[in-house]
Amino acid sequence: MKLQRVLQYAQFLLQDTVEADDVVVDATAGNGYDTAFLAQLVGEHGHVYAFDVQQQAVDSTKSRLDEEGLASRVSVILDGHENVAQYVKESISAAIFNLGYLPGSEHEIITKPSTTLKAIENLLSLLKVGGMIVLVVYYGHDGGKTERDQVIEYVSNLPQKKVHVLRYEFINQKNDPPFIIALEKMKNL
């Protein structure tokens, strides 16, 4: 077995968790790659809720979904992921975050610790037992290390009998390489 790169591993975790007809969340739609990937996993009767605070990201995601014929499976929402509970009322099997900024856009618009932590908390309450939240943590930008540290502190204090927390990273890479935090819900909180 070869070690999987961070994005490959994130997709592996999602593939292993999400089944056809599931409901899932892309907490940071960005350019729509994860949204489209999740839409394929849930099949034509499942549903993806994709959130982003930037109109550019919403437009990019909708365009990608239209091109791939997946738009009917997705609600793309121009709002922050901290408001997920206002839109998602059913149980979810998985969620993914890409923390940081939208590639190809202004680097001043970034995910923030307060909204990310609220979103994680809300998603954990919506998550089915056996479900998973995957966070791809990019932190090599202004504010990134603060968010990284606060997320790590929060997930490190989750009750181990209810949530398994994994950190997956390459420790010999330079320039603040991204890493994964995966939360697997074992029991209701």
Side-chain angles (χ1 to χ4, degrees), residues 1 17 26 28 41 68 96 99-100 115 132 150 162 175:
M1 175 181 140
T17 303
D26 183 349
T28 51
L41 292 179
E68 296 187 30
I96 187 164
L99 302 181
T115 58
M132 186 165 306
Q150 289 186 27
K162 295 185 178 184
N175 300 322

Side-chain angles (χ1 to χ4, degrees), residues 157-174:
N157 289 303
L158 291 170
Q160 68 180 6
K161 291 185 178 180
K162 295 185 178 184
V163 182
H164 289 171
V165 180
L166 168 79
R167 182 170 171 166
Y168 182 85
E169 67 182 318
F170 291 90
I171 60 175
N172 66 336
Q173 292 181 353
K174 296 181 180 2

Side-chain angles (χ1 to χ4, degrees), residues 20-87:
D21 304 335
D22 279 353
V23 175
V24 299
V25 172
D26 183 349
T28 51
N31 288 312
Y33 292 104
D34 288 333
T35 307
F37 178 74
L38 289 170
Q40 291 169 354
L41 292 179
V42 300
E44 64 181 278
H45 299 294
H47 199 75
V48 180
Y49 291 89
F51 293 85
D52 211 290
V53 296
Q54 294 182 74
Q55 187 66 53
Q56 175 187 348
V58 167
D59 294 344
S60 178
T61 297
K62 286 181 176 180
S63 176
R64 180 170 313 287
L65 295 169
D66 287 339
E67 289 170 15
E68 296 187 30
L70 300 168
S72 64
R73 305 175 187 186
V74 182
S75 298
V76 183
I77 300 163
L78 179 62
D79 200 354
H81 49 225
E82 69 275 15
N83 298 318
V84 66
Q86 294 177 22
Y87 300 91

Side-chain angles (χ1 to χ4, degrees), residues 76-132:
V76 183
I77 300 163
L78 179 62
D79 200 354
H81 49 225
E82 69 275 15
N83 298 318
V84 66
Q86 294 177 22
Y87 300 91
V88 183
K89 302 302 180 187
E90 58 265 75
S91 294
I92 64 169
S93 64
I96 187 164
F97 291 76
N98 282 285
L99 302 181
Y101 56 84
L102 175 65
S105 73
E106 299 177 32
H107 295 189
E108 295 80 40
I109 302 173
I110 59 172
T111 55
K112 300 210 175 359
S114 61
T115 58
T116 298
L117 295 177
K118 183 175 179 187
I120 294 168
E121 183 178 343
N122 287 336
L123 288 166
L124 278 170
S125 69
L126 292 167
L127 195 64
K128 296 177 187 176
V129 171
M132 186 165 306

